[in-house]
Amino acid sequence: MNKLLLLVVLGALNLPALAQDTLPEIAPTSQPAPVQDTAAPTDMNAQPASPVLAPVPLDQVSAILGALRTVSGEFTLTLTLKNAQAKALSFSAGRDSDQNCAAAPSVRVLQVGTRAVVYPTGEKRICTQEMKIVTAPAGGSATFERTLNLPAGEYMIEGWFQGFAGDAQQRVKVGAQPIRITVK
């Protein structure tokens, strides 16, 4: 009986990894859309949870993704957020369990020719809860960096900032044009 229970528990722990062969595309939105809670309430008298707003694009803010065109081994990737607003703007992002516990920028790495997703791998991690906060002055920019280590090959890297911005700490998403790199 204990062996059967152990097999059932081990099988259940492997289900999330098996179910995430590909990552879904995230469609751009112009208005926040509520995300509905699909979990059934355990208490019939309980009130439904408040809807969570999806990230929205941020006016007068653009992003540029950058890295050397040819790298070997470990390299630095930067995402620069350009603030064209007339006031300073702070950006904050927490660590993401889908992004190897990195705070920002969020990235997806695709192998050229196959479109196979190389990173993120789909493995979830438990991350600490600190936030990375960077402020862009009016007409200035804020930069987020992270390090990647990829095997030799040709890759397209998609990058974006997803977190909070401004005094109201509104959830935002700012995407950048993908870049192509060669790892030797």
Side-chain angles (χ1 to χ4, degrees), residues 33-49:
V35 177
Q36 297 298 324
D37 184 9
T38 58
T42 55
D43 180 6
M44 297 310 286
N45 295 325
Q47 296 294 322

Side-chain angles (χ1 to χ4, degrees), residues 27-181:
T29 61
S30 60
Q31 295 293 325
V35 177
Q36 297 298 324
D37 184 9
T38 58
T42 55
D43 180 6
M44 297 310 286
N45 295 325
Q47 296 294 322
S50 301
V52 176
L53 294 180
V56 297
L58 191 56
D59 290 335
Q60 298 181 338
V61 175
S62 60
I64 298 173
L65 191 62
L68 294 175
R69 175 66 175 96
T70 303
V71 298
S72 51
E74 192 171 272
F75 64 97
T76 301
L77 182 70
T78 61
L79 181 78
T80 303
L81 297 171
K82 295 192 175 211
N83 177 18
Q85 294 185 6
K87 62 178 182 172
L89 193 59
S90 65
F91 299 94
S92 60
R95 295 184 176 272
D96 189 341
S97 63
D98 290 328
Q99 293 282 319
N100 209 15
C101 290
S106 296
V107 298
R108 181 166 57 177
V109 180
L110 305 158
Q111 189 170 19
V112 172
T114 66
R115 299 283 299 166
V117 177
V118 176
Y119 182 88
T121 60
E123 296 176 21
K124 299 267 187 191
R125 291 184 167 199
I126 297 175
C127 309
T128 58
Q129 296 297 310
E130 73 263 14
M131 298 287 280
K132 184 172 185 175
I133 303 169
V134 179
T135 300
S141 61
T143 302
F144 290 89
E145 293 183 344
R146 69 185 288 184
T147 303
L148 292 176
N149 192 355
L150 300 171
E154 293 279 327
Y155 301 99
M156 289 297 291
I157 301 177
E158 299 170 344
W160 62 94
F161 172 83
Q162 186 164 327
F164 300 93
D167 297 333
Q169 290 297 294
Q170 177 183 12
R171 288 190 64 187
V172 298
K173 182 175 182 180
V174 182
Q177 287 288 344
I179 60 173
R180 183 174 177 155
I181 66 163

